[in-house]
Amino acid sequence: MKYLAFALPHLLVVALALWMYVRIRAMKQRQDALVKDLKGRHYWRINLARPAFFGRWMRLMAFEAKGVLIDDGEAFRIRGHWAKTGKAFESLVPKSGLKVEWLGNQSIKTGNIHWARLDTPKGQVLFTADTGWSAGPSREALCDIFRSAFPDYPLDEANTHDFALEKNPRSLGATVLFLGLMLFALLDSFVFSGYELTDAQLFSILRSPLTWLVASVGIATLMALCYRFFAAGRIPSRESMALALMLGAVSAGAALPVLKRVDQMLAGSVSEDHAYRLSGTYRLEPIDTTQGLPPLKFPRMRDYWEQWPDGSEHRIPLMHGPLGLWQLDHAKFDPPIVAFYEKKSSKPGKH
């Protein structure tokens, strides 16, 4: 039962993916059947949806029909099949008085692809270029349809070119913040900081379900707020999502270095010596077990600790701030170890 409970969500995901594949394949086959009769005629493969479709929350696909837009001379003909019922539909749109509007990539709800709206005798319909499984080229492909089918429609510069991150202050600020947080996390952890979080405490933090719960909720909330902020600044939804993901990821990576630095500031960057007893070749256990001191391991310094007998006592400088982190003070801890290895390397026959 335990394995079944673990496997059931995965089986449901696989079943859903298979169902979507079969459904889209059936739609594609119907679209291919429509195209077979169009030899010598000008047409474009499109995906379609009715305006109310994007108001629904329970949707698995970004469109509800596949079809073709056919140039019939004095009119455009739209033919296709609805995904839900498989029912065929057809609409003839006269070119005289034709009303078409570029909508673009408006939000996640529209599938992060570029759409346009066309008025037909049967009501408004939304359409996008059929780019197969890839949503990336939708803007370019929809531009091609507009240039050839609706040459009189004035396409803005923003419609015909990819979004430039450096031209929008919000996306530019997000990019600078991303690079700043990434550099801070790397440099503060490995270059500037003289304090190191003990391995035992790091593993304890990463093993805690509460850590993952808080991190998941925090990152999801941050990404949602970032997405809304970027979308409100007229950044396309795909780029808004990418920026939100970038900031969410770098925030997760920078969280621990930031917490370490905050704890150091709150503690005044003052460490205290704590008594430890050597237990094994490179393991040390705290003598005072009432303070919550973490056990320590120094496998890369095996030679240094081998000179001391098991059970010997050592003073280890640790900083303990209000956030509860135990950080090893390398400024006090390293000098005798460096001196030991320098002396060892200077002996004759040692390299």
Side-chain angles (χ1 to χ4, degrees), residues 2-301:
K2 181 175 69 174
Y3 296 108
L4 179 61
F6 176 78
L8 187 58
H10 299 80
L11 293 174
L12 290 175
V13 171
V14 172
L16 181 60
L18 181 61
W19 175 82
M20 288 185 63
Y21 171 78
V22 171
R23 192 170 188 179
I24 293 177
R25 181 177 174 82
M27 294 170 65
K28 195 68 176 175
Q29 289 174 340
R30 297 190 191 102
Q31 186 187 55
D32 290 341
L34 294 174
V35 168
K36 284 183 179 179
D37 300 328
L38 298 177
K39 291 183 179 180
R41 300 174 66 181
H42 200 183
Y43 68 91
W44 302 267
R45 292 177 182 260
I46 57 175
N47 296 326
L48 302 106
R50 287 164 288 202
F53 177 70
F54 294 116
R56 306 173 190 169
W57 284 101
M58 296 299 293
R59 293 184 290 107
L60 295 176
M61 294 189 296
F63 53 88
E64 57 178 341
K66 277 187 176 293
V68 288
L69 175 66
I70 308 165
D71 189 342
D72 263 359
E74 297 299 320
F76 288 109
R77 188 180 302 275
I78 299 176
R79 300 178 64 190
H81 293 83
W82 298 113
K84 189 173 182 179
T85 62
K87 184 178 179 181
F89 63 87
E90 183 172 332
S91 183
L92 191 66
V93 186
K95 290 184 179 180
S96 59
L98 180 142
K99 293 183 179 179
V100 64
E101 181 183 1
W102 177 283
L103 300 178
N105 181 4
Q106 296 184 323
S107 69
I108 297 177
K109 295 179 67 176
T110 58
N112 277 330
I113 53 181
H114 291 262
W115 289 86
R117 180 170 55 229
L118 179 64
D119 288 2
T120 77
K122 298 181 180 180
Q124 291 184 335
V125 66
L126 308 182
F127 70 94
T128 182
D130 183 356
T131 54
W133 290 92
S134 175
S138 69
R139 178 198 56 78
E140 192 174 75
L142 188 59
C143 278
D144 292 342
I145 292 178
F146 265 72
R147 290 192 182 101
S148 54
F150 316 115
D152 296 330
Y153 186 88
L155 285 173
D156 293 337
E157 189 73 12
N159 303 146
T160 58
H161 292 83
D162 289 330
F163 177 76
L165 293 176
E166 70 278 5
K167 292 184 179 180
N168 185 290
R170 297 194 182 193
S171 60
L172 178 60
T175 304
V176 172
L177 180 60
F178 170 81
L179 294 174
L181 284 174
M182 184 173 63
L183 286 174
F184 169 78
L186 294 174
L187 296 178
D188 192 68
S189 297
F190 302 107
V191 179
F192 298 130
S193 179
Y195 294 90
E196 180 186 2
L197 194 67
T198 64
D199 290 346
Q201 190 170 33
L202 178 61
F203 293 147
S204 176
I205 292 172
L206 295 179
R207 283 197 303 263
S208 172
L210 182 61
T211 300
W212 292 101
L213 177 62
V214 172
S216 299
V217 172
I219 292 173
T221 302
L222 173 65
M223 288 174 54
L225 293 174
C226 287
Y227 177 84
R228 294 189 62 180
F229 175 76
F230 297 140
R234 301 182 64 82
I235 300 176
S237 58
R238 185 182 298 110
E239 284 77 6
S240 294
M241 176 57 73
L243 289 170
L245 286 170
M246 286 169 52
L247 289 180
V250 78
S251 297
L256 193 55
V258 168
L259 289 175
K260 286 174 56 182
R261 182 63 70 175
V262 170
D263 207 29
Q264 293 168 25
M265 294 173 61
L266 294 175
S269 295
V270 176
S271 62
E272 295 182 5
D273 289 343
H274 294 274
Y276 274 77
R277 180 175 290 108
L278 188 64
S279 173
T281 305
Y282 50 81
R283 297 188 300 274
L284 292 98
E285 300 290 340
I287 295 176
D288 185 351
T289 59
T290 63
Q291 299 184 57
L293 287 161
L296 300 174
K297 292 182 180 181
F298 301 102
R300 292 187 298 274
M301 307 170 189

